[in-house]
Amino acid sequence: MDILPLETQQQIFALACTDGGSTGNALSLTSKAIRETSRKTRFHTVYLVADNVCLEAFVALYDRELEKDCGDKPHIRHLFLRFPRKPALYGDKTYVKQQPSSAYLNAGQRLIHAAAPDLYSLVVHAPWWSPAHCLYFPILQRPFPLLREATFVNICDPRPFLSDRRADIPPLFPIVTHLYLLASGYDLALETWSIVAPNATHLRVTGISAGHVDQIANAVGARVNVDRAGGLYAAGVGQLAAPLTSLPPLPGAYPSLRYLCMELTPRSPSSAWSGTEDAIYAMALQGVLQIEEVCNEGSRVRAIVLPAWPESAYSEKYGDASVRAGWMARVEGREGYWEGISGSGE
C-alpha cells in the first residue's frame, strides 16, 4: 500500500466501505498508518441503530475525528439511521407527541448537522408501529446540498423532523431526485414533500391503502374514478369503474415528478378478512391501477404498480433487511429500490 498515491488508496477504501461501517471499523483497527490513511473514507457508509448508547457514542467518536488537525476530514456519504423499538424517542405505543431526552435530541442534531453537507443518500427507519404524530425529533435543521436519495420508513410526514423554531417549511433536499416512502399512516404529506424535496423526479410509495389513492392521484394530476359506494359491497376487479382518461390531466401538486412506483399494503389471508376489508383493498387496487393507466396515457409521469409485498415483509426484521439491502445496492451503483423502473439511473 505504501507505493500507492494517497488519493488512490482513498479511492480503494471508499469502494470497500459500502457495508454500513464494518469495513471502516476493521480498517481503523488494522494499523496506525491505515487508520490515518482511511480517515476520510472509512465513514463512507454508516448504518446506525440509534438507541441512546449507540447514537451518543457514535456522535462522540465522529466529533473527535472531525476535531483532529491532521489529515483530511472524514465524510459520511450514505447514512442509514434506524431507530429501535423503544429508544428515548418513543413512548409505549401511546398516541401523543413524544419528547426525546435533551441528550438524545442533542446527539441526533449534532450528527445531522455534521453529516448533512456531505450526504448523498439518507434512510430514516422508524419502528413499524410508530404513527407519524407520535414521532417528534426535530433534527433536520439545515439543508442537505448534495443529497440525491431519501428513504423514510414508517415516517411519511417530515414535519416532526423539522426544527420547531421555523414556521415555514424549507427545501431541505434541494437536489434529491429519488424519494421512497414506506407508508405507516393515512397522510402521505406529498404536498409537504414537494416543498422539502422540490426536484424529486422519482417517487416510490410502498404500503398504499385506499386512503392514499386520492393523495397520490392529486400529486401527479391524475383523474381517478374510484367506485367507493359500490366498492363497499363488491370486491372483484370486474366491478371497477373506468378511469377518466377522456379529460385532460390536472397540474399535479408535485410538479417535478416523472416516475411513480406504487405498491399496495400487504393483503392478509382471506380467512382473516371481513367483507368490508376486502372491499377496501379492492378500492385501493382499483385506484392505483387507474392512476397507472391515466399516467401512461399522455401524462408527464410514467407510473407502474408493483405486486404488494407479502405480509411477512412487514415484520420489523424482514422489512429492515429489505430496506437495508436496497440502500446498499444503491450505494454500490445498482438499481436497488428502483429496479426495473424506467429512468432509475437518472
Side-chain angles (χ1 to χ4, degrees):
M1 294 293 289
D2 293 340
I3 64 174
L4 295 176
L6 176 60
E7 294 78 8
T8 303
Q9 294 183 52
Q10 290 178 341
Q11 290 177 3
I12 293 172
F13 292 144
L15 292 172
C17 294
T18 58
D19 55 4
S22 298
T23 299
N25 184 58
L27 288 171
S28 71
L29 299 174
T30 302
S31 68
K32 290 183 179 180
I34 294 297
R35 174 194 286 267
E36 291 306 313
T37 304
S38 65
R39 280 186 71 244
K40 183 179 179 179
T41 55
R42 70 172 184 266
F43 294 96
H44 185 72
T45 61
V46 173
Y47 173 86
L48 180 62
V49 177
D51 60 22
N52 297 34
V53 175
C54 292
L55 178 60
E56 294 181 29
F58 178 80
V59 172
L61 168 65
Y62 196 60
D63 281 346
R64 289 196 300 271
E65 293 293 331
L66 289 173
E67 291 168 359
K68 291 182 178 179
D69 293 330
C70 58
D72 295 317
K73 299 294 184 183
H75 300 293
I76 301 175
R77 294 301 190 187
H78 306 276
L79 176 63
F80 192 122
L81 193 60
R82 182 176 181 271
F83 295 110
R85 183 172 291 273
K86 288 186 179 180
L89 182 57
Y90 298 99
D92 189 14
K93 295 190 181 182
T94 54
Y95 289 80
V96 295
K97 182 190 287 186
Q98 298 298 329
Q99 297 282 353
S101 69
S102 58
Y104 190 78
L105 176 58
N106 179 261
Q109 290 174 339
R110 284 161 52 204
L111 172 60
I112 296 301
H113 187 272
D118 304 312
L119 280 179
Y120 294 156
S121 71
L122 172 67
V123 179
V124 181
H125 191 311
W128 67 270
W129 51 259
S130 59
H133 56 281
C134 281
L135 180 60
Y136 179 70
F137 198 43
I139 57 176
L140 304 182
Q141 299 181 319
R142 63 181 301 178
F144 293 66
L146 302 181
L147 193 70
R148 298 180 294 223
E149 300 199 17
T151 299
F152 286 79
V153 183
N154 299 320
I155 305 167
C156 288
D157 192 337
R159 285 170 291 190
F161 279 84
L162 306 181
S163 171
D164 57 351
R165 294 191 298 271
R166 303 191 62 154
D168 60 328
I169 300 174
L172 293 172
F173 306 153
I175 67 167
V176 160
T177 57
H178 291 63
L179 178 63
Y180 185 16
L181 304 176
L182 283 87
S184 65
Y186 174 76
D187 188 3
L188 294 175
L190 293 177
E191 290 190 18
T192 303
W193 282 114
S194 72
I195 300 172
V196 174
N199 294 302
T201 55
H202 293 64
L203 173 65
R204 177 171 175 175
V205 183
T206 293
I208 296 171
S209 62
H212 298 140
V213 170
D214 284 339
Q215 299 175 51
I216 297 173
N218 181 59
V220 298
R223 299 177 186 269
V224 296
N225 184 25
V226 179
D227 184 12
R228 289 171 175 80
L232 292 176
Y233 302 99
V237 175
Q239 301 289 335
L240 304 184
L244 303 176
T245 54
S246 60
L247 298 176
L250 297 170
Y254 208 146
S256 64
L257 293 181
R258 294 296 179 268
Y259 299 95
L260 172 65
C261 178
M262 299 172 285
E263 294 174 279
L264 292 179
T265 190
R267 185 174 187 176
S268 300
S270 57
S271 60
W273 280 55
S274 68
T276 299
E277 290 170 324
D278 208 29
I280 291 173
Y281 183 90
M283 285 192 292
L285 176 61
Q286 173 188 0
V288 296
L289 291 176
Q290 284 195 22
I291 292 172
E292 180 185 38
E293 181 176 347
V294 171
C295 284
N296 293 336
E297 289 190 4
S299 170
R300 59 180 170 78
V301 181
R302 302 294 91 192
I304 183 173
V305 177
L306 298 182
W309 282 12
E311 187 180 16
S312 60
Y314 269 67
S315 68
E316 189 171 3
K317 181 177 180 181
Y318 189 96
D320 177 72
S322 298
V323 175
R324 186 176 181 183
W327 170 69
M328 292 179 67
R330 295 299 289 172
V331 168
E332 295 170 355
R334 294 180 283 125
E335 291 184 308
Y337 311 129
W338 309 95
E339 184 176 0
I341 300 172
S342 178
S344 63
E346 295 180 0

